[in-house]
């Protein structure tokens, strides 16, 4: 079983007196109409079950009367993402950079701990006896490309300072709707999260400053391929800035991007972190780490007649 039969969402229960003492997996299997014990065990192991607000990954935990049990389902495959050697773009004793696939969350979510990039990297490093992991960079679940981590205590502080001090050059490739008015440009705004939609928007004051620079590489009738550099690293900033300019990313319905173009379904936002440039936080060596375009991005480009 790799797909969950439960609809995505949050399922909440209060343990009644007559179910006190039951195993957590048996309690949930009895409370859910469309889930057997096998599925419940998988969801608990993924980290999608919380008891009184705390993640619990022990199926045999006895529940108590009045406890609040929550199950978070994200609709993604149940098989956890695992890191393999082919995804490693750079590694030394201090740093590791990988090519993150689209569709994988960077860090734990309410629905899962297992299967995130962070958990997969912890597991990968544990096999080498190296488990000191620092994460300062994040990519959206459906964004692919370069991510870099510190894997040694001597690198943690320096890598964090490089990102927070805006000393890392971060370049993305994005496929945006329509044709941009000039060959290059820049967006500047303050970004804040709108609580009613949980999406980021530009605000006049009270947000965090965000700068997005772009250069058009090539265009078709319905879309443009752009190289994007972000001196800042605000949540969703590339997606927001292009959407607010009237050119949302292809495959990004959350910000108004088309899900179908040229008769083809675009299943995720066309955004790829293609290059990171920075000074090594320990040795000072200049690093430039690149990730090739993934197959799904290339397919869309070919359908649009865009050559790279």
């Amino acid at each position: 079983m790799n797909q969950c039969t439960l609809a995505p969402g949050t399922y909440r229960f209060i343990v009644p007196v007559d179910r006190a003492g039951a195993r957590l997996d048996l309690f949930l299997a009895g409370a859910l109409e469309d889930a057997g014990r096998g599925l419940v065990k998988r969801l608990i192991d993924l980290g999608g079950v919380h008891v009184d607000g705390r993640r619990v990954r022990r199926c045999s935990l006895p529940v108590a009367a009045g406890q609040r049990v929550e199950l978070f389902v994200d609709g993604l495959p149940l098989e956890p993402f695992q890191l393999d050697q082919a995804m490693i773009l750079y590694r030394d004793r201090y740093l590791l950079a990988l090519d993150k696939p689209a569709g994988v969350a960077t860090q734990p979510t309410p629905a899962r701990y297992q299967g995130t990039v962070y958990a997969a990297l912890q597991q990968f490093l544990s096999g080498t006896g190296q488990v000191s992991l620092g994460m300062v960079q994040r990519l959206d679940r459906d964004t692919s490309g370069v991510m870099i981590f510190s894997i040694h205590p001597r690198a943690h502080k320096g890598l964090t300072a490089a990102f927070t001090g805006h000393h890392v050059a971060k370049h993305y490739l994005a496929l945006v709707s329509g044709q941009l008015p000039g060959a290059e440009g820049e967006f500047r705004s303050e970004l804040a999260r709108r609580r009613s939609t949980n999406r980021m928007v530009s605000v006049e004051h009270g947000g965090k400053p965000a700068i997005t620079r772009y250069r058009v590489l090539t265009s078709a009738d319905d879309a443009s391929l752009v190289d994007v550099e972000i001196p800042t690293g605000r949540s969703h900033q590339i997606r927001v800035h292009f959407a607010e300019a009237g050119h949302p990313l292809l495959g990004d319905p959350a910000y108004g991007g088309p899900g179908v173009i040229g008769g083809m379904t675009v299943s995720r936002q066309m955004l790829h972190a293609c290059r990171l440039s920075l000074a090594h936080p320990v040795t000072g060596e200049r690093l430039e780490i690149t990730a090739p375009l993934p197959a799904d991005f290339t397919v869309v480009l070919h359908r649009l007649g865009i050559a790279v």
Side-chain angles (χ1 to χ4, degrees), residues 191-203 206 236 255:
L191 295 181
R193 190 173 299 277
R194 179 174 287 165
R195 292 185 180 179
S196 60
T197 61
N198 200 34
R199 292 176 189 151
M200 303 298 290
V201 294
S202 291
V203 295
H236 298 185
Y255 289 98

Side-chain angles (χ1 to χ4, degrees), residues 214-233:
Y214 69 87
R215 179 170 56 91
V216 178
L217 300 177
T218 184
S219 296
D221 291 339
D222 300 322
S224 299
L225 178 66
V226 293
D227 177 275
V228 183
E229 181 185 7
I230 51 170
T232 54

Side-chain angles (χ1 to χ4, degrees), residues 172-187 212-229 237-250 270-271 306:
Y172 294 72
L173 289 174
L175 261 176
V176 304
S177 304
Q179 296 189 2
L180 291 152
E184 57 185 35
E186 179 179 283
F187 304 117
T212 301
R213 300 180 181 130
Y214 69 87
R215 179 170 56 91
V216 178
L217 300 177
T218 184
S219 296
D221 291 339
D222 300 322
S224 299
L225 178 66
V226 293
D227 177 275
V228 183
E229 181 185 7
Q237 78 168 68
I238 295 173
R239 299 164 64 190
V240 174
H241 277 160
F242 279 100
E244 292 180 342
H247 300 280
L249 272 63
L250 303 190
M270 289 288 97
L271 185 61
I306 294 177

